[in-house]
Amino acid sequence: MATVDVPQAVGPFKGWINTISHIVEGGGERDTRACSCDGPSNALAPPKPDSRASVVVGRYSTSNHWSQVVRGAHYSSALHFQPPLRTVPRIFTGLSMLDMGEDAEDSTIRVDSFPQNVTQGGFICNGKSWRDTKLYNLSVDWAAIEKPEWQCGVFKTQELGEPWEKADSVFDHRVVFPRSFTSLPMVFVCFNGFDLRGNWNLRTYATNIDHTGFNLSIVKSDDGDSSTRLWSASVTWIAIPGDEVLKRKDVWMGQFGTARKGEIGGDGSWRGHTDFGFQFRRPPKVFMGLDHFNLSRRRNLRLRAETTNVTVSGMDWKISKWHDTMLKGASVSYLAVDCADR
């Protein structure tokens, strides 16, 4: 069992400690974990007839047998909101579990996650690979957001119009918010897709956060492997007003990760506990996604992030790998959210 090394939170709220969600391991293809309460919990007061969550989070997971998986597979499932939301939400995804083959040409790993056909009643959640990559299974965390004060987006390196494989190992792009925040925002980032060949060492993070935007960085490490190429990467970002977080105490964000050690083979996991910066009114729901992974391309990529014992004040977390996967390090960004309207 490896010891834990929790990175510091990125962005302006550096004193804030890290956290996570409740993730279900296995047990079917969908788990919406929707919260449809409104206001403080009160056993004596009946729920309002139109009570609906303004943020809903969940996870879509596949459970394929390895012998049935084909190269370039595409998986999808229709997910439903109960009850339907008030408006058509914005849907964002993050990768929280990956099981991928290393036998593609030049050990190229390709994965993408995205929503489709979004309505007030639900959407189709997709996870796919392409060409010769074998994607055995994956888990996609998703967040359906109605809050107008949250500014969100997906940045794709392809949008720059130049292939990034010709660029330096550190990629830096300024994301400008559609509207300036009146208070310094918190910014969450995680991967929702990538196309990576060679050395499997990739990281994303946010820096230089101010009222108008932030710098989104993506770092690939060759580790002496001249064949390494990042053909593309896709990153989910969510910006939340900082003063609203401190006043309403309904969302917390952070990061957790493994100890920085050498290659670890065989089954193994890294565990830890984190406290929230305040007490929620009820145990929060959590949206999360990988923001860093460093694994040997000589073995399959098998990596899972999950949490247990989520309470109003904190939670336990675990990052695990299995079989012959060689893990050098990984970290996860998360949003813990009280799903109730105020």
Side-chain angles (χ1 to χ4, degrees):
M1 187 72 63
T3 58
V4 80
D5 175 23
V6 180
Q8 290 296 313
V10 289
F13 298 88
K14 296 183 184 300
W16 294 19
I17 307 184
N18 309 313
T19 316
I20 183 161
S21 80
H22 180 65
I23 300 280
V24 174
E25 179 177 0
E29 291 190 346
R30 65 190 72 176
D31 169 31
T32 60
R33 297 196 307 278
C35 174
S36 58
C37 46
D38 192 353
S41 176
N42 188 338
L44 300 178
K48 296 180 181 180
D50 63 346
S51 172
R52 309 178 206 188
S54 56
V55 178
V56 180
V57 301
R59 169 175 285 188
Y60 164 59
S61 296
T62 64
S63 55
N64 305 302
H65 191 275
W66 68 269
S67 63
Q68 303 300 314
V69 173
V70 299
R71 298 180 186 276
H74 185 165
Y75 311 114
S76 64
S77 181
L79 306 178
H80 303 282
F81 305 131
Q82 296 295 335
L85 302 182
R86 295 185 183 92
T87 61
V88 176
R90 296 164 290 171
I91 305 289
F92 298 95
T93 62
L95 298 168
S96 54
M97 188 276 282
L98 290 172
D99 184 356
M100 308 177 71
E102 50 76 34
D103 57 347
E105 181 181 1
D106 297 317
S107 297
T108 303
I109 48 176
R110 307 174 180 92
V111 63
D112 193 19
S113 62
F114 55 95
Q116 194 176 22
N117 297 349
V118 181
T119 70
Q120 293 171 257
F123 69 102
I124 296 174
C125 190
N126 295 271
K128 73 169 188 176
S129 59
W130 57 97
R131 296 182 64 179
D132 59 344
T133 295
K134 274 194 174 181
L135 177 62
Y136 294 100
N137 283 295
L138 83 167
S139 290
V140 177
D141 273 36
W142 56 264
I145 299 172
E146 290 187 292
K147 286 180 176 290
E149 66 271 25
W150 290 21
Q151 299 191 51
C152 319
V154 174
F155 173 74
K156 297 177 179 293
T157 57
Q158 305 96 301
E159 296 173 1
L160 298 181
E162 297 181 2
W164 188 45
E165 73 273 10
K166 297 179 181 179
D168 296 333
S169 59
V170 178
F171 167 86
D172 194 63
H173 175 72
R174 184 68 181 174
V175 174
V176 178
F177 299 133
R179 306 177 308 279
S180 293
F181 284 93
T182 57
S183 65
L184 200 60
M186 301 165 56
V187 177
F188 164 97
V189 296
C190 76
F191 288 113
N192 61 62
F194 50 81
D195 184 350
L196 178 65
R197 186 184 81 182
N199 191 49
W200 297 346
N201 188 348
L202 192 64
R203 182 190 302 270
T204 187
Y205 53 89
T207 59
N208 300 327
I209 300 169
D210 60 30
H211 297 74
T212 63
F214 67 97
N215 283 25
L216 176 62
S217 297
I218 302 172
V219 180
K220 63 180 176 73
S221 177
D222 296 346
D223 284 349
D225 184 350
S226 60
S227 71
T228 298
R229 296 289 186 275
L230 180 63
W231 302 109
S232 65
S234 181
V235 176
T236 290
W237 63 267
I238 301 173
I240 304 170
D243 60 351
E244 287 295 301
V245 171
L246 297 175
K247 179 174 66 176
R248 295 168 57 164
K249 297 183 178 180
D250 60 355
V251 61
W252 188 260
M253 72 167 57
Q255 183 188 50
F256 59 83
T258 67
R260 303 301 191 262
K261 293 185 178 294
E263 290 187 356
I264 306 296
D267 293 346
S269 63
W270 291 256
R271 301 170 184 264
H273 176 83
T274 186
D275 294 321
F276 303 132
F278 49 75
Q279 283 207 349
F280 283 86
R281 304 180 69 148
R282 73 207 88 227
K285 311 298 181 182
V286 182
F287 167 74
M288 68 179 180
L290 288 165
D291 61 35
H292 172 234
F293 57 86
N294 184 3
L295 302 103
S296 170
R297 69 173 185 173
R298 299 190 300 271
R299 302 288 188 272
N300 284 8
L301 190 163
R302 305 180 182 96
L303 189 61
R304 176 186 290 117
E306 56 194 319
T307 60
T308 55
N309 303 323
V310 181
T311 69
V312 296
S313 59
M315 62 192 156
D316 299 329
W317 60 263
K318 181 172 74 170
I319 293 177
S320 57
K321 41 84 66 185
W322 59 100
H323 296 331
D324 60 348
T325 293
M326 304 293 288
L327 177 64
K328 302 176 184 179
S331 63
V332 174
S333 290
Y334 67 85
L335 276 179
V337 185
D338 186 337
C339 293
D341 285 327
R342 291 293 190 265

